[in-house]
Amino acid sequence: MYCRFLFSSAALALVCAAPAQAQTLAFPPFIAPSGGPPPFKMKCVTGKPYSLASKTSTSTRLADGTWTTTVLEQRKMRDSEGRERTETTNGSGGSPVVSLTDPAAQTIVTLFRFNKTAILTHISLPKPPTPEQEARLAEIRAKAAEYRAAHPSGDETDIPPRTIAGVSAEGKRRIITLHAATLSNGDPVRVVEETWTSPDLGIPLASTSDDPRGQKIAMTVTDLQRAEPDPSLFKIPADYQVTERQN
């Protein structure tokens, strides 16, 4: 896992599907109002800086058969030390949320520009499992593997590469079968996801998700630069009020 935090299709759907009046802040998926992430070891990619801009559109089919589309805009950057900065706006004029990650310090920061405040979360390292917990985990893994063998849900294939924002990206298509969900004709739901990833930078440059139940998500990087970002962009501004917490 890289030290970046990417929006999953589900997280984007939750933000994009919310009513416009509730979208004054687009919270990143790892710092939600309800609390922070669980303990984990932050890993990072060093020596591969970049700055990019991307747009993600989510189209949802309403009960009357019409479609509504919302857009998220992001600016992301990573320095040579592996620190990352993400700025997210929801396209409706709300205040952007800025997140900073520092894997060396095991911290995640969320900056709120509208009131110049910051939440600094110290990420705890996971504790080694006890023998009892390890045995329980092994049992859960075995049952999960047995279920996956009986209910295959993923079919991944290579698709033609693309050049996105001047960068070559390798393509993958994954068909996810949701056996617990069915369409009106009784067939299981099959969600088709396509992703184009830069093998050098290790980040997705474009992706699509098509859910036949009525949701289409598309993300595209519109600009990408390989220069080293300004180091000050990865620090909390001096005039911000900081609240610290331990996850």
Side-chain angles (χ1 to χ4, degrees):
M1 180 178 65
Y2 295 111
C3 60
R4 56 183 157 75
F5 297 86
L6 295 176
F7 280 104
S8 66
S9 296
L12 284 168
L14 287 173
V15 175
C16 293
Q21 63 270 25
Q23 294 190 37
T24 54
L25 292 176
F27 284 93
F30 51 89
I31 292 292
S34 58
F40 67 97
K41 171 62 177 176
M42 298 174 67
K43 298 182 181 180
C44 66
V45 177
T46 59
K48 295 184 177 182
Y50 70 83
S51 299
L52 65 79
S54 68
K55 288 187 177 182
T56 300
S57 63
T58 299
S59 298
T60 304
R61 186 173 62 237
L62 304 178
D64 62 3
T66 61
W67 290 76
T68 179
T69 300
T70 54
V71 177
L72 280 178
E73 297 183 0
Q74 273 196 337
R75 300 195 66 85
K76 299 186 65 176
M77 59 191 69
R78 179 174 69 204
D79 68 3
S80 293
E81 297 178 20
R83 297 179 299 179
E84 296 202 355
R85 176 187 177 103
T86 303
E87 301 179 14
T88 305
T89 58
N90 57 24
S92 63
S95 178
V97 171
V98 180
S99 63
L100 311 174
T101 65
D102 187 339
Q106 282 281 125
T107 59
I108 300 173
V109 176
T110 302
L111 304 178
F112 300 97
R113 289 177 172 174
F114 73 100
N115 62 357
K116 293 189 176 183
T117 61
I119 298 176
L120 169 59
T121 303
H122 298 271
I123 306 299
S124 302
L125 294 174
K127 297 180 180 179
T130 65
E132 293 79 9
Q133 291 172 331
E134 191 61 58
R136 178 57 178 159
L137 287 172
E139 180 183 349
I140 293 173
R141 294 190 192 102
K143 290 183 178 179
E146 182 180 348
Y147 180 86
R148 287 194 298 268
H151 304 84
S153 61
D155 181 14
E156 187 173 279
T157 57
D158 292 333
I159 55 179
R162 292 172 53 187
T163 299
I164 302 166
V167 178
S168 177
E170 299 175 345
K172 294 282 187 182
R173 176 183 291 121
R174 179 180 171 86
I175 300 177
I176 304 171
T177 302
L178 306 178
H179 296 279
T182 58
L183 300 173
S184 58
N185 62 4
D187 290 341
V189 172
R190 291 181 173 85
V191 180
V192 180
E193 296 183 345
E194 296 182 343
T195 305
W196 287 267
T197 302
S198 164
D200 181 28
L201 292 173
I203 58 174
L205 302 182
S207 64
T208 63
S209 176
D210 189 347
D211 189 327
R213 293 170 295 182
Q215 187 174 79
K216 300 178 186 294
I217 302 174
M219 182 279 290
T220 302
V221 170
T222 56
D223 181 68
L224 192 151
Q225 305 295 327
R226 300 293 299 269
E228 187 75 30
D230 182 348
S232 66
L233 294 173
F234 301 92
K235 300 178 181 179
I236 301 175
D239 58 345
Y240 275 50
Q241 182 179 350
V242 180
T243 299
E244 295 192 52
R245 65 186 183 186
Q246 187 76 40
N247 74 320

